[in-house]
Amino acid sequence: MFARLAIPNAMRGTARSFSTRAGAASRSSRMPLALAATVAVAGISLYARPSLHLEQIQRPIVGAGSDVSSRPTTIAGTFTTPSERSFIMIKPDGVNRQIVGKILTRFEERGYKLVAIKSVLPSKELAREHYGDLASKPFFGSLIDYITGGTPVIAMVWEGKDVIRQGRNMVGATNPLQALPGSIRGDYAVSVGRNIIHASDGFESATKEIGLWFDEKELASYTPAAWEQVMADN
Ligand code: IDP
Ligand code: MG
C-alpha cells in the first residue's frame, strides 16, 4: 500500500535525524545575541552540528512543502502530517521493570494512535539489523546480547502529528542521567545501557524500523474516537 519512496537528501541527517542528547540547546539559548551573530557569520553555526537537540529543530521541516502530496509517504505514513508514524520499542529492561503499561499510557494520553503492538523475542540477526548504525561501537556486542537475552521487547508503531520528534522528546536523552525529569528515561532510568525504550530518530529510520519489525498487514487503519479533536489545528 505504501510506496517505499526515496527520501530526498535534504531530509536526511540534520532536518529530522536528531539526538536526544541534552545540553546543546540550553548552551545555545544562553549565548548572548551578539556572540550568536558572530558565530553564525563566521560560519561556525551551532546548527551545523551533526546531531541536533530537539529545541534546535524549527518548522517548517526541510523538504516538507505546503503541498501534502509532495511529502514523502512510506510505511511510516506521510511525513509531517497526522499520519506520520514512529517505531517505539520497550526494551527488555522496561519489560522486566513491569512498566509497560505506564509507557503505553504516556503515548495514549498524549493523543497518539496505537497502530501495532507485539511482544517479540528478537533474533541476533534482527537486533543487529535494527542497531546496524552502531556496529562499530565498543558496546555493540553487549547491546545485541542484552536485546536478545530472553526477556521480550514490546515493538510498537504509534501514529499522529509530529510523532517521530515528539516520541524522541517523550523518551528523553540517550544517557538517562542527562534526560529531563518527565521524560521516560528521565523518570525511570539511570544507565545508558539500560535506558528502557527506543524511538525512531527521523523519518528515514522510522521507515526502516517499522518495515523491519512489522509486516504492512499488521498495521491497523482506524480512527480513535477523539482523533479529530486531538489533531485539529483550528
Ligand atoms: P538512542 O537509543 O537514544 O537513539 P543511540 O545512540 O542510537 O541512542 O544508541 C542506541 C542504544 O545503544 C542506546 O539506547 C543504548 O541502549 C545503547 N548505547 C548507546 N550508547 C551507549 C554507551 O555508551 N554504552 C552502552 N550502551 C549504549
Ligand atoms: Mg538511536
Side-chain angles (χ1 to χ4, degrees):
M1 180 180 164
F2 290 108
R4 304 288 174 99
L5 297 181
I7 295 165
N9 280 338
M11 208 162 282
R12 295 174 189 275
T14 54
R16 287 282 276 180
S17 179
F18 34 79
S19 167
T20 47
R21 247 176 279 157
S26 55
R27 277 197 301 280
S28 67
S29 62
R30 282 199 301 269
M31 182 183 288
L33 200 59
L35 177 56
T38 308
V39 167
V41 167
I44 323 167
S45 167
L46 291 175
Y47 291 80
R49 64 177 63 234
S51 295
L52 292 180
H53 190 263
L54 294 169
E55 285 81 354
Q56 291 179 301
I57 300 164
Q58 305 290 330
R59 287 198 176 254
I61 302 298
V62 176
S66 54
D67 178 9
V68 171
S69 66
S70 70
R71 302 179 198 178
T73 297
T74 68
I75 199 168
T78 300
F79 186 47
T80 71
T81 73
S83 77
E84 183 177 302
R85 292 168 169 175
S86 186
F87 176 72
I88 308 287
M89 177 176 74
I90 304 174
K91 299 183 191 179
D93 44 325
V95 175
N96 260 322
R97 297 270 302 277
Q98 299 183 290
I99 54 175
V100 170
K102 288 180 173 170
I103 293 171
L104 295 185
T105 297
R106 288 180 180 228
F107 284 88
E108 286 186 324
E109 289 185 344
R110 187 79 192 269
Y112 288 125
K113 182 200 298 188
L114 184 59
V115 166
I117 182 167
K118 62 185 175 187
S119 173
V120 183
L121 288 167
S123 65
K124 299 263 185 210
E125 185 187 18
L126 175 58
R128 285 197 197 102
E129 177 67 27
H130 175 78
Y131 283 121
D133 59 329
L134 300 175
S136 62
K137 301 285 185 188
F139 57 82
F140 184 69
S142 56
L143 174 63
I144 300 306
D145 287 347
Y146 181 63
I147 293 293
T148 61
T151 302
V153 301
I154 306 300
M156 298 175 280
V157 178
W158 288 89
E159 180 177 307
K161 190 191 297 178
D162 207 28
V163 67
I164 298 172
R165 173 164 48 178
Q166 298 307 319
R168 291 289 288 187
N169 212 356
M170 291 164 72
V171 161
T174 301
N175 183 344
L177 297 181
Q178 296 173 346
L180 293 174
S183 67
I184 294 166
R185 288 167 173 168
D187 284 352
Y188 294 117
V190 292
S191 301
V192 70
R194 297 291 183 273
N195 60 8
I196 301 287
I197 185 164
H198 166 87
S200 302
D201 69 2
F203 187 73
E204 191 176 0
S205 60
T207 300
K208 172 197 156 186
E209 291 165 0
I210 294 170
L212 184 63
W213 290 83
F214 288 95
D215 192 281
E216 211 162 288
K217 62 179 182 293
E218 293 178 279
L219 308 179
S221 177
Y222 68 101
T223 305
W227 190 247
E228 298 303 329
Q229 291 292 324
V230 173
M231 294 297 148
D233 273 323
N234 57 357

